[in-house]
Amino acid sequence: AAIKCIRTYGLESYLEVDGEPRPVLAEVAMMLRLGTSCSSIIKLHDWMENDVGFILIMEVPDQSMTLYRYLKNCGSIDGGTASRFRHQLLDAAKHLFSCGIFHSDLHLENVLVSESSLDLK
């Protein structure tokens, strides 16, 4: 699992989520709304709020690295692998959009690739 700490400064966006007594940080709300509905999206295992921000416990695929590092290590990839990656990214983006979420920071360092299966998250 990965632990992500998000320091809050009072200017962040908060959203309502069913089952939560008060609005939560937008990033947490979006992950809660997604749940486990798409295998290409990192799962939120747990979260908590403290006096300085939020702590998120998230899934980390086994033997994974960022897509940036993977491409840098490989030097080049074949057309089939490139097409596979493109389809996975588009499917994940379409799923997010269908849930009312637009990922505004999608880049190679925000995508993980499993070395053994070439599945993206």
Side-chain angles (χ1 to χ4, degrees):
I3 299 174
K4 180 176 182 177
C5 299
I6 303 171
R7 187 175 203 62
T8 55
Y9 299 96
L11 304 172
E12 295 78 20
S13 296
Y14 290 79
L15 301 171
E16 304 255 346
V17 176
D18 290 340
E20 293 301 325
R22 59 191 178 93
V24 297
L25 188 69
E27 182 172 348
V28 173
M30 288 183 267
M31 293 186 83
L32 288 171
R33 287 178 183 169
L34 287 169
T36 59
S37 59
C38 182
S39 63
S40 295
I41 297 173
I42 294 290
K43 309 296 182 271
L44 177 65
H45 293 306
D46 202 2
W47 66 278
M48 66 174 281
E49 183 178 12
N50 61 23
D51 56 341
V52 296
F54 286 79
I55 299 170
L56 286 64
I57 312 297
M58 302 182 308
E59 166 191 23
V60 175
D62 291 334
Q63 298 177 339
S64 63
M65 65 178 72
T66 66
L67 185 53
Y68 174 81
R69 181 171 299 273
Y70 178 82
L71 294 172
K72 188 174 179 182
N73 289 349
C74 287
S76 66
I77 57 174
D78 60 57
T81 302
S83 181
R84 176 184 168 88
F85 286 170
R86 183 182 40 139
H87 283 290
Q88 290 181 67
L89 286 170
L90 288 174
D91 285 346
K94 286 192 303 191
H95 179 74
L96 287 170
F97 190 73
S98 73
C99 293
I101 299 170
F102 176 76
H103 195 306
S104 62
D105 195 25
L106 189 58
H107 55 83
L108 296 176
E109 281 100 1
N110 277 351
V111 176
L112 296 177
V113 59
S114 170
E115 292 181 81
S116 59
S117 65
L118 296 183
D119 289 334
L120 300 183
K121 291 272 188 180

